[in-house]
Amino acid sequence: MDSEYRFIHKHILSLEDLSVADIELILQTADSLKEISTRSIKKVPTLRGKTVISLFFEPSTRTRLSFEIAAKRMSADTFNISVALSSTTKGESLIDTAKNLAAMKPDVIIFRHSCSGSPRLLSKHIKASVINAGDGTHEHPSQGLLDLMTVREKKGDINGLRVAIIGDIAHSRVAHSNIIGFSKMGAEVVVCGPKTLLPAAVERLGAKVAATVEDAVSGADVVMTLRIQHERQKDPLLPSLREYANYFGITPKIMKKAKPDAIIMHPGPINRGVELDPELADGKQSVIIDQVTNGVAVRMALLYLIMGGD
């Protein structure tokens, strides 16, 4: 990497905004910070005096806790706002809520909302840095980065790999970030899912569309399967979960089409027996728990870099 290179981003809103050099630096920084979580005292003073607010308008277990752990391990002061108890339930607008939070001088707001583009809107109205923790069907950049870190950790290099992403591509912000991220880093990304769950212009993001799951998984180095996002579907788009599992579920038989050393990924939560066979979820090819571990390291890196680390 160029010695003159500096990370210049104040916000983390989308992997589309990041260059290959940006992604390389984030992954390198995450690699170096991961060791902190293995110490007996899991804390460094890097972000002492900084205030991090988590503002989630949608449910979250892994992402919210992972960001909170990342901030605490770097000694930041952290605060979580429950939307159910916030003034938005009294009719306050998102921008008014954000401006009131900004008046309390946070350094970072970690933000999740069902509306695509809402983190970018927020970033235009407050001085604090904004990290997109998932916006509608648009992107989930920190998940995309932790998936890149996990694949590079297991495979050594991302360039030249074949990555198969199976499932609800249309409603998955994880899929969108991963298509962008893996394509930027030189991987071939192939997607497959029911036609009702494939976005019309997915090829513009850099992915190829396979006709069948067998075609998508054939020769893959990485097989990523996704949960069906029922909460984002206005009308039922599938005949039944049983039919979906029969045609698009990843089973040991399907995995035999992939390379022998292929890894299996899932952003969670898993619907066992629907998108992924339980035997595979817990098997030796699964790196699902590694993804969760790397999530803390990547989020530590993001907080460190947007706060001016170099």
Side-chain angles (χ1 to χ4, degrees):
M1 185 175 294
D2 187 343
S3 60
E4 298 298 318
Y5 168 80
R6 291 291 182 272
F7 193 81
I8 60 171
H9 299 276
K10 179 180 178 180
H11 310 290
I12 302 295
L13 304 175
S14 164
L15 285 192
E16 279 191 320
D17 298 338
L18 302 179
S19 67
V20 171
D22 293 329
I23 294 172
E24 284 284 0
L25 181 62
I26 292 168
L27 299 185
Q28 289 175 13
T29 305
D31 285 340
S32 65
L33 294 175
K34 185 176 178 180
E35 172 268 335
I36 293 170
S37 294
T38 66
R39 298 178 186 176
S40 57
I41 298 176
K42 303 174 180 62
K43 190 178 280 285
V44 293
T46 311
L47 297 184
R48 182 180 294 161
K50 302 295 184 183
T51 301
V52 177
I53 293 177
S54 293
L55 180 59
F56 279 50
F57 285 80
E58 288 186 319
S60 171
T61 301
R62 278 160 292 274
T63 302
R64 184 170 180 163
L65 183 59
S66 182
F67 268 115
E68 184 173 359
I69 290 173
K72 286 183 182 297
R73 291 205 171 144
M74 303 183 82
S75 300
D77 298 316
T78 61
F79 302 89
N80 292 308
I81 297 177
S82 171
V83 171
L85 302 176
S86 77
S87 293
T88 56
T89 60
K90 302 174 183 175
E92 187 175 65
S93 73
L94 171 62
I95 298 302
D96 284 340
T97 297
K99 286 181 176 177
N100 278 278
L101 293 177
M104 299 178 212
K105 310 302 180 187
D107 297 286
V108 181
I109 293 180
I110 299 162
F111 184 69
R112 169 173 284 192
H113 200 283
S114 60
C115 290
S116 300
S118 52
R120 195 173 298 278
L121 175 67
L122 195 72
S123 72
K124 295 178 180 177
H125 289 270
I126 61 174
K127 290 184 178 179
S129 293
V130 176
I131 298 180
N132 177 7
D135 62 328
T137 60
H138 175 227
E139 275 216 44
H140 192 344
S142 65
Q143 179 72 43
L145 289 163
L146 74 87
D147 288 341
L148 288 169
M149 178 180 180
T150 304
V151 170
R152 194 166 76 163
E153 196 174 74
K154 301 299 179 183
K155 295 293 181 183
D157 193 4
I158 295 170
N159 186 41
L161 296 180
R162 179 178 170 91
V163 179
I165 304 178
I166 313 297
D168 184 356
I169 309 298
H171 301 97
S172 173
R173 51 202 179 203
V174 173
H176 296 162
S177 286
N178 273 317
I179 291 169
I180 294 167
F182 279 102
S183 297
K184 279 192 176 185
M185 302 305 287
E188 176 192 29
V189 181
V190 182
V191 300
C192 183
K195 290 184 178 178
T196 52
L197 298 180
L198 285 175
V202 66
E203 292 93 343
R204 292 182 189 173
L205 294 174
K208 299 176 182 176
V209 178
T212 65
V213 171
E214 287 82 358
D215 289 345
V217 172
S218 181
D221 301 279
V222 178
V223 177
M224 182 182 299
T225 181
L226 303 170
R227 180 179 67 87
I228 300 169
Q229 310 266 314
H230 292 291
E231 67 274 22
R232 304 192 197 290
Q233 299 176 18
K234 293 180 181 177
D235 299 305
L237 297 174
L238 295 170
S240 69
L241 289 181
R242 177 177 293 181
E243 185 169 320
Y244 176 85
N246 286 340
Y247 285 96
F248 298 98
I250 301 301
T251 63
K253 181 180 178 182
I254 293 291
M255 276 305 293
K256 288 181 180 177
K257 300 282 185 180
K259 289 183 179 175
D261 62 346
I263 58 175
I264 297 170
M265 307 181 77
H266 194 299
I270 304 170
N271 292 302
R272 291 171 180 258
V274 179
E275 67 264 20
L276 185 60
D277 188 288
E279 179 184 333
L280 293 175
D282 301 321
K284 62 181 181 181
Q285 290 176 284
S286 172
V287 298
I288 295 169
I289 297 302
D290 300 275
Q291 290 175 261
V292 179
T293 299
N294 287 339
V296 175
V298 159
R299 286 155 182 146
M300 289 172 74
L302 293 177
L303 291 168
Y304 172 73
L305 289 169
I306 63 172
M307 287 290 95
D310 58 24

